[in-house]
């Protein structure tokens, strides 16, 4: 479908997106949000926007302008190093993408989170009160000032089984350049988001884009983030045996960045692609014959080494989206939080992930940004990911997040 045909299809949509590229960020914000609002068939209830710009002050002004355009809607947004909208991605270039949705009676609660020191720990304040009909919370966080990993991993303690979806914001100048926006206010730290409740059909897709190598193995000895033994043998020896049996192409993938998957269902008879929470292998300890990974894995958990490349990531995303569409029926819109290590760095084009959504889900309203880390549930538990595409899907039929 051509881009013009897609615009026509979106004219009567419950969800729509917009994109504007240009150094005048205020004008770009007005254009992008205006496009999204004009393509809706009804009044917007939720507007999300994402801004890539060189000057944090310009980003803040653009965000304020965006929030003023939809006074009757809840509005959230953030700065980023790249944005997604109108079926394409734009990286490291001044641009604004926007997304608007008509949610037909859903209850929306925006929130802003901050951390306070309490004795020997930090406490997150600002969480919305939970209700029985809550479905999902979108979370946009400043990775430099908010403990996103710890908060997300322990979210079940305060939020129960509520799925979290979103990403870590950033700015082209790094620390200090992140800007977050929620219902008329600009934040320079913390996290913001919106809780979706009531009559709204949403579900999540998290594509980690990895392929297993070697067998699944039980962790039989570990210490902090060091795997000492796998299936009763030194972890490094196990890894060396696996690599020795790979072909040359897969050895190159191992050298470029080895991953490890932690099985989410210990009782499954087999553990294949998609059954794991992916974490990076960050080093080895030859003296202890250990493998260091980017997480703490307890003794008794099942793990399997993984590799990632463009072909595997492409196949994984398309397969997950195809299966999701078949399960849900009609899909109306989506928000896309794609790792800034995907796009042109992985696929040679910034358009890969939004095109994949368009190819599989149809001419729906899709917008998002390239994140410094992606938030999404795997096997019912919330996690922060890397090199992942996290998608919030809005449908006309019921789907389980």
């Amino acid at each position: 479908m051509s881009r013009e045909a897609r615009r026509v299809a979106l004219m009567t949509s419950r969800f729509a997106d917009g994109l504007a590229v240009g150094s005048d960020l205020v004008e770009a914000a007005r254009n992008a949000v205006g496009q999204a609002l004009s393509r809706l068939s009804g009044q917007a209830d939720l507007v999300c926007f994402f801004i890539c710009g060189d000057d944090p002050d310009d980003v803040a002004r653009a965000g304020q302008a965006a929030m003023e355009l939809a006074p009757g809607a809840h509005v959230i947004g953030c700065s980023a190093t790249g944005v997604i909208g109108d079926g394409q991605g734009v990286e490291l270039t001044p641009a604004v993408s926007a997304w608007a949705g008509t949610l037909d009676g859903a209850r929306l609660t925006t929130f802003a989170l901050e951390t306070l020191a309490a004795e020997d720990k930090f406490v997150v304040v600002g969480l919305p009160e939970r209700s029985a009909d809550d479905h999902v919370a979108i979370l946009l966080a400043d990775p430099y000032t908010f403990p996103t990993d710890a908060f997300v991993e322990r979210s079940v303690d305060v939020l129960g089984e509520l799925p979290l979806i979103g990403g870590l914001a950033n700015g082209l100048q790094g620390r200090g350049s992140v800007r977050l926006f929620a219902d008329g206010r600009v934040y320079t730290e913390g996290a913001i988001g919106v809780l979706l409740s009531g009559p709204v059909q949403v579900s999540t897709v998290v594509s980690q884009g990895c392929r297993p190598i070697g067998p699944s193995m039980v962790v039989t000895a570990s210490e902090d983030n060091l795997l000492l033994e796998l299936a009763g043998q030194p972890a490094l020896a196990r890894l060396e045996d696996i690599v020795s049996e790979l072909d040359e192409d897969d050895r190159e993938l191992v050298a470029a960045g080895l991953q490890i998957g932690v099985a989410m269902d210990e009782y499954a008879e087999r553990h294949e692609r998609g059954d794991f929470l992916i974490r990076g292998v960050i080093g080895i300890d030859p003296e202890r014959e250990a493998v260091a990974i980017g997480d703490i894995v307890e003794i008794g958990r099942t793990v399997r080494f993984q590799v990632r490349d463009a072909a595997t990531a492409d196949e994984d995303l398309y397969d997950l989206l195809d299966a999701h569409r078949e399960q849900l029926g009609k899909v109306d819109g989506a928000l896309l939080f794609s790792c800034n290590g995907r796009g042109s760095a992985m696929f040679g084009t910034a358009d890969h992930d939004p095109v994949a959504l368009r190819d599989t889900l149809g001419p729906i309203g899709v917008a998002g940004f390239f994140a410094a880390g992606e938030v999404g549930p795997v096997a019912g538990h919330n996690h922060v990911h890397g090199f992942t595409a996290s998608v919030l899907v809005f449908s006309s039929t019921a789907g389980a997040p």
Side-chain angles (χ1 to χ4, degrees):
M1 175 178 289
S2 69
R3 185 160 289 148
E4 184 58 35
R6 181 172 174 273
R7 289 194 182 100
V8 173
L10 288 174
M11 288 297 290
T12 58
S13 292
R14 293 174 53 232
F15 301 92
D17 60 78
L19 174 71
V21 180
S23 58
D24 187 339
L25 288 180
V26 171
E27 183 64 21
R30 289 171 177 158
N31 286 342
V33 175
Q35 291 170 31
L37 293 175
S38 68
R39 296 169 182 169
L40 287 181
S41 56
Q43 183 175 354
D45 296 306
L46 176 63
V47 175
C48 304
F49 63 87
F50 312 99
I51 305 173
C52 178
D54 298 311
D55 186 338
D57 292 334
D58 287 345
V59 171
R61 284 189 287 268
Q64 289 173 322
M67 289 187 287
E68 292 170 358
L69 292 177
H74 290 280
V75 185
I76 64 170
C78 69
S79 59
T81 57
V83 301
I84 295 167
D86 199 25
Q88 60 187 302
V90 180
E91 300 170 310
L92 305 176
T93 300
V96 180
S97 67
W99 179 93
T102 301
L103 297 177
D104 300 330
R107 190 172 68 258
L108 306 176
T109 307
T110 54
F111 56 85
L113 307 180
E114 61 177 322
T115 54
L116 301 177
E119 298 179 353
D120 59 344
K121 61 183 179 180
F122 288 97
V123 177
V124 174
V125 298
L127 287 167
E129 293 187 9
R130 288 294 316 278
S131 298
D133 61 350
D134 294 340
H135 296 292
V136 68
I138 302 169
L139 180 71
L140 308 176
D142 176 359
Y144 304 104
T145 64
F146 187 76
T148 314
D149 287 85
F151 172 76
V152 170
E153 293 295 335
R154 298 187 62 183
S155 61
V156 68
D157 296 339
V158 290
L159 298 175
E161 299 300 321
L162 180 73
L164 298 177
I165 194 86
L168 305 187
N170 210 339
L172 291 179
Q173 295 185 23
R175 180 183 293 272
S177 67
V178 174
R179 297 295 180 268
L180 305 169
F181 307 93
D183 282 355
R185 296 193 60 182
V186 181
Y187 299 86
T188 59
E189 59 184 20
I192 59 94
V194 60
L195 176 64
L196 279 61
S197 312
V200 57
Q201 306 297 342
V202 291
S203 52
T204 59
V205 176
V206 177
S207 174
Q208 300 177 89
C210 280
R211 169 168 53 86
I213 58 172
S216 295
M217 297 169 287
V218 174
V219 177
T220 49
S222 66
E223 180 181 307
D224 296 328
N225 70 325
L226 286 179
L227 300 179
L228 301 175
E229 288 185 4
L230 297 174
Q233 300 295 322
L236 182 56
R238 285 285 188 182
L239 174 58
E240 290 172 342
D241 288 343
I242 291 170
V243 173
S244 68
E245 297 178 358
L246 298 177
D247 60 28
E248 184 176 349
D249 289 340
D250 278 351
R251 288 184 187 181
E252 290 181 0
L253 293 179
V254 169
L258 180 64
Q259 314 294 316
I260 193 165
V262 182
M264 302 307 294
D265 182 1
E266 289 293 329
Y267 300 102
E269 293 184 3
R270 299 181 62 186
H271 296 100
E272 303 297 339
R273 189 180 69 186
D275 296 330
F276 299 92
L277 173 65
I278 304 299
R279 291 295 186 249
V281 173
I282 59 178
I284 60 174
D285 185 338
E287 292 186 1
R288 304 184 69 182
E289 296 187 89
V291 177
I293 67 172
D295 207 340
I296 297 175
V297 180
E298 298 175 350
I299 294 173
R301 297 299 298 271
T302 299
V303 298
R304 191 173 182 185
F305 288 106
Q306 314 265 331
V307 292
R308 178 189 282 122
D309 62 357
T312 298
D314 173 84
E315 181 182 355
D316 187 63
L317 181 57
Y318 272 88
D319 285 351
L320 286 171
L321 291 172
D322 280 334
H324 210 67
R325 184 198 62 231
E326 293 175 3
Q327 174 188 357
L328 293 176
K330 187 177 186 299
V331 175
D332 299 322
L335 285 165
L336 169 61
F337 308 98
S338 183
C339 181
N340 55 21
R342 292 172 68 97
S344 58
M346 178 177 287
F347 300 107
T349 172
D351 302 341
H352 177 273
D353 288 353
V355 168
L357 265 68
R358 182 186 62 194
D359 288 347
T360 55
L361 304 182
I364 62 174
V366 177
F369 70 99
F370 290 100
E374 305 74 57
V375 177
V378 174
H381 298 279
N382 295 315
H383 301 281
V384 178
H385 308 276
F387 293 94
T388 292
S390 291
V391 188
L392 178 61
V393 179
F394 294 79
S395 61
S396 300
T397 55

